[in-house]
Amino acid sequence: MKKVNSAKYTCLEVFARQTADGGRVRVLTRKADGSRETLEKPAGANYFAWLKIPLREDTEYEISSEDCEVSLCYLSGGAHPLETGVRYLEKDQADGSFYIVDQTAWYDGPTRETYHFSPWKNWINDPNGLCWFQGYYHMFYQFNPHEQQWSNMYWGHAVSRDLVHWTHLPVVLAPQEEILENQEKVKGGAFSGCAVASDDEVVFYLTRHKGPLQDGEETVEQQWMMQSRDMIRFSEETCVIGQPPQEASFDFRDPKVLRIKERWYMVLGSAIAGQGAILLYESADKKRWEYVCPLVREGKEKIRCFECPDFMELDGKYMVIGAWMEHYDECGRYQMSRYYTGTFKDGEFTVENDGWFDFGSNCYAMQSFEHQGRRISIGWISDFYEEHVPCENGAYGSMTIPRELHIKDGKLYMTPVQEIRALKGKTLYEGKGENIRLPKIEGNAYRAGIRFSENTFFSILLGADGEKSISLVNCEGGLHIVTKGVKSEGVCFKADVEEVRDLEIYVDRRVAEVYVNGGEAAGTKVFYNSSTDGCFALNAETPEHVAWVEVACMKSIWH
Ligand code: FRU
């Protein structure tokens, strides 16, 4: 049997479900005098029960499970949980005992990002509750700890000191018990939400969803609130908005709260009369909320709901962003996010300009927060073209590099936060005036910075795997990401820019993120590779216009 030393951890958390009657998790301690102590907890009969088993510090344990399936298991607690995070355990297939897994090796597979945040395993979607509180950036996220597909929702949690390196923390919220007990009939859980941080407290708003497997009029989405003072213990939730306004659909979720002057506002994603709509609520005390009116309505056809809206004041303007659920745009892109900039007066938002948030359409449900004058956003790197390749112990989904947002002349600009530069590793190429071929980049995690002295047509290869490839192409039709041999082939991932002068490209195993002209456009696209080697090639029609190129490795954040 493998042994686990609890070190400074004080709790074992296990998500376990019976595979046969009597399935259980067993923790065995051998005391100093040689005697043994065994603690057993029954696994969930039909669903993964979340077991919390107290441990003593600095003690050796043998941890095993019988007749049950364990989806996630970790050590938690201790005196400084935000610093020590959790330690994940995995099951030894040979003898069934659990052991501590090395994080760096765990995150090192052809389809595991090395410097984009992703969960230990299984399914992740929207970032939730983003904030900075007492020295740490917090990121909560939609999480299914049990498998690599969406199901009833939990909130996962991670913290960072620098927005780059993340420490995993315990799961925070679980689906409602009544949902877990009736999974064949109902679905739901702790859906997306936000955080409002003050000096000594963080207030969270989130949607609790409960409804039939097929969404419809019986679906209930309500807005709930909870608090925390240490980001480890969370209060009970209280319901603050029990039902949608008369004119809105049953899709009624994803609260985002902000303060403008003396008032608190909440935006919610919904639809009115078949049009995607973002609803505005108002409050004086953050607890009692009154419906004001739709903040934005989108006339475009077939947007079922404006999911995960955000609303902010930035660079002297107001900006609203939302994700277009179930919508295909004219390029064939699915579920794009749109931003709207303009003015906000007397509860009314007047749109002056709008544009796409991310031209790659693998970035969804972005959320932003402000810290020390910077507006930072993180988006979910999704897979809307069913390109995900499940692998054992893998993860579905990850998060974009945190982006700093700005508005210039009514247009949204996005750049990776400067902290990301700390990950720059070995330089692979530096030069100008020529085409470049780097056919084998070990580790397939790199950054390429490129400047052009004038707009030139080019093709940049960002990944290849046999017949499959992903490139960034600038041609008569403009700048776009092109995939070949994969399910998204034929979709035109086009950036709304007139010309290309500057590119910042981040490749990280199955993710490519492209920033154009100092943030004028950003595009995220997944591309699954079967190897941990990557490639980069720049083919410009007029190489003399390649003013500067630097390609450098990026270090893993999981050391
Ligand atoms: C967007 C979304 C949200 C919802 C959550 C559920 O990806 O559908 O609208 O709150 O995911 O996981």
Side-chain angles (χ1 to χ4, degrees):
M1 290 285 272
K2 295 229 163 36
K3 303 225 176 1
V4 171
N5 192 305
S6 58
K8 296 296 165 209
Y9 294 102
T10 53
C11 188
L12 172 73
E13 297 188 38
V14 190
F15 293 84
R17 167 172 72 180
Q18 288 185 1
T19 50
D21 253 7
R24 60 197 177 270
V25 172
R26 185 180 307 119
V27 176
L28 187 145
T29 345
R30 229 178 282 271
K31 294 204 200 142
D33 64 5
S35 64
R36 295 160 143 233
E37 193 177 74
T38 312
L39 189 83
E40 290 195 334
K41 282 234 180 180
N46 305 314
Y47 59 90
F48 287 94
W50 183 359
L51 311 178
K52 295 182 188 175
I53 302 167
L55 302 180
R56 279 189 292 270
E57 287 184 8
D58 299 316
T59 305
E60 291 236 310
Y61 289 95
E62 280 172 19
I63 300 165
S64 60
S65 64
E66 217 166 83
D67 294 334
C68 72
E69 186 190 344
V70 169
S71 60
L72 198 70
C73 176
Y74 51 82
L75 303 173
S76 65
H80 306 287
L82 297 181
E83 281 300 314
T84 47
V86 300
R87 281 312 284 275
Y88 288 104
L89 309 181
E90 290 295 328
K91 192 172 177 165
D92 184 299
Q93 292 312 328
D95 68 6
S97 63
F98 285 78
Y99 62 98
I100 292 180
V101 181
D102 172 58
Q103 184 164 266
T104 316
W106 182 260
Y107 274 97
D108 188 21
T111 61
R112 292 298 322 248
E113 297 82 336
T114 62
Y115 62 90
H116 285 75
F117 176 84
S118 69
W120 183 253
K121 56 159 83 161
N122 295 332
W123 169 279
I124 189 172
N125 58 295
D126 321 348
N128 295 152
L130 297 182
C131 63
W132 184 91
F133 181 65
Q134 297 181 348
Y136 298 89
Y137 295 101
H138 288 263
M139 175 164 59
F140 299 81
Y141 52 87
Q142 292 285 284
F143 188 35
N144 175 12
H146 312 314
E147 56 195 336
Q148 288 171 51
Q149 59 183 29
W150 190 92
S151 185
N152 299 317
M153 277 290 120
Y154 295 71
W155 271 34
H157 184 195
V159 281
S160 173
R161 289 250 185 216
D162 61 2
L163 287 168
V164 171
H165 299 88
W166 294 91
T167 301
H168 291 293
L169 289 175
V171 171
V172 172
L173 297 173
Q176 300 87 302
E177 205 66 31
E178 75 230 69
I179 290 173
L180 294 176
E181 281 164 6
N182 295 294
Q183 298 198 56
E184 14 6 278
K185 290 203 202 84
V186 288
K187 66 166 187 190
F191 276 20
S192 283
C194 68
V196 178
S198 55
D199 286 348
D200 58 356
E201 186 187 59
V202 180
V203 182
F204 296 86
Y205 299 88
L206 66 130
T207 301
R208 280 275 169 190
H209 175 114
K210 189 188 157 198
L213 300 185
Q214 202 67 42
D215 295 335
E217 293 305 325
E218 284 164 54
T219 299
V220 178
E221 297 198 320
Q222 298 176 320
Q223 317 318 321
W224 293 69
M225 173 179 163
M226 68 173 184
Q227 289 94 341
S228 180
R229 290 182 168 271
D230 60 7
M231 300 301 248
I232 291 295
R233 287 162 301 172
F234 299 84
S235 73
E236 292 282 306
E237 295 158 47
T238 51
C239 184
V240 289
I241 305 178
Q243 60 187 51
Q246 198 98 56
E247 59 180 349
S249 90
F250 61 83
D251 285 311
F252 176 61
R253 56 179 173 272
D254 311 334
K256 181 80 200 304
V257 170
L258 79 159
R259 194 186 168 96
I260 299 174
K261 303 202 170 75
E262 291 313 302
R263 298 298 283 178
W264 290 98
Y265 291 96
M266 179 191 288
V267 284
L268 282 158
S270 190
I272 296 175
Q275 288 185 342
I278 295 176
L279 311 180
L280 183 69
Y281 278 71
E282 195 181 6
S283 171
D285 61 3
K286 286 196 286 184
K287 290 189 192 112
R288 280 162 302 167
W289 294 90
E290 295 284 333
Y291 178 50
V292 183
C293 62
L295 187 70
V296 173
R297 280 177 80 152
E298 182 49 74
K300 281 263 166 19
E301 272 182 16
K302 299 206 183 96
I303 300 172
R304 177 174 139 190
C305 167
F306 234 126
E307 293 189 297
C308 300
D310 204 339
F311 182 30
M312 68 200 76
E313 193 178 351
L314 183 63
D315 298 327
K317 289 279 171 200
Y318 287 87
M319 178 159 65
V320 179
I321 307 180
W324 289 7
M325 184 184 186
E326 293 181 4
H327 179 86
Y328 283 95
D329 82 341
E330 51 276 11
C331 301
R333 290 177 294 192
Y334 188 52
Q335 304 211 127
M336 296 285 283
S337 295
R338 193 91 185 153
Y339 74 81
Y340 306 80
T341 54
T343 58
F344 181 67
K345 259 197 210 111
D346 306 322
E348 201 174 311
F349 179 63
T350 310
V351 179
E352 292 170 344
N353 194 22
D354 62 338
W356 294 122
F357 181 75
D358 186 292
F359 67 89
S361 94
N362 274 154
C363 171
Y364 199 72
M366 65 68 69
Q367 187 175 91
S368 77
F369 69 103
E370 201 206 8
H371 177 235
Q372 292 184 339
R374 279 198 299 179
R375 175 60 60 176
I376 296 159
S377 102
I378 295 177
W380 164 43
I381 302 179
S382 50
D383 163 43
F384 293 148
Y385 306 92
E386 291 173 14
E387 291 165 309
H388 178 63
V389 179
C391 64
E392 206 191 339
N393 291 326
Y396 177 117
S398 55
M399 297 298 181
T400 61
I401 297 170
R403 299 173 177 179
E404 186 173 337
L405 308 187
H406 282 288
I407 298 172
K408 285 182 213 163
D409 300 326
K411 195 166 179 176
L412 171 65
Y413 278 73
M414 283 181 276
T415 46
V417 293
Q418 47 93 12
E419 286 92 330
I420 197 77
R421 293 182 205 158
L423 296 179
K424 190 178 159 199
K426 196 171 105 192
T427 302
L428 300 169
Y429 176 90
E430 226 179 320
K432 59 178 184 173
E434 59 179 359
N435 285 327
I436 300 154
R437 230 181 122 247
L438 302 171
K440 184 174 170 185
I441 299 180
E442 253 171 62
N444 196 16
Y446 64 86
R447 175 195 182 278
I450 307 169
R451 284 203 318 271
F452 299 97
S453 56
E454 54 185 79
N455 193 44
T456 174
F457 292 164
F458 60 74
S459 172
I460 300 173
L461 184 68
L462 300 178
D465 190 18
E467 298 293 293
K468 299 183 281 182
S469 67
I470 180 167
S471 310
L472 182 69
V473 175
N474 193 31
C475 59
E476 234 147 74
L479 179 73
H480 48 283
I481 295 172
V482 179
T483 57
K484 289 232 167 85
V486 294
K487 288 191 182 150
S488 59
E489 178 170 349
V491 180
C492 174
F493 302 102
K494 187 178 177 320
D496 289 329
V497 295
E498 296 275 299
E499 55 163 23
V500 182
R501 285 308 189 88
D502 180 278
L503 290 171
E504 211 178 320
I505 298 168
Y506 292 86
V507 172
D508 186 11
R509 303 285 162 95
R510 66 172 164 192
V511 168
E513 254 188 280
V514 177
Y515 295 84
V516 189
N517 298 339
E520 195 188 348
T524 309
K525 185 75 201 77
V526 295
F527 176 79
Y528 285 77
N529 209 309
S530 58
S531 156
T532 49
D533 289 335
C535 59
F536 172 89
L538 165 66
N539 239 308
E541 218 171 83
T542 48
E544 62 275 22
H545 294 139
V546 178
W548 182 247
V549 180
E550 187 190 40
V551 185
C553 291
M554 291 287 280
K555 294 180 208 151
S556 167
I557 58 172
W558 300 115
H559 292 301

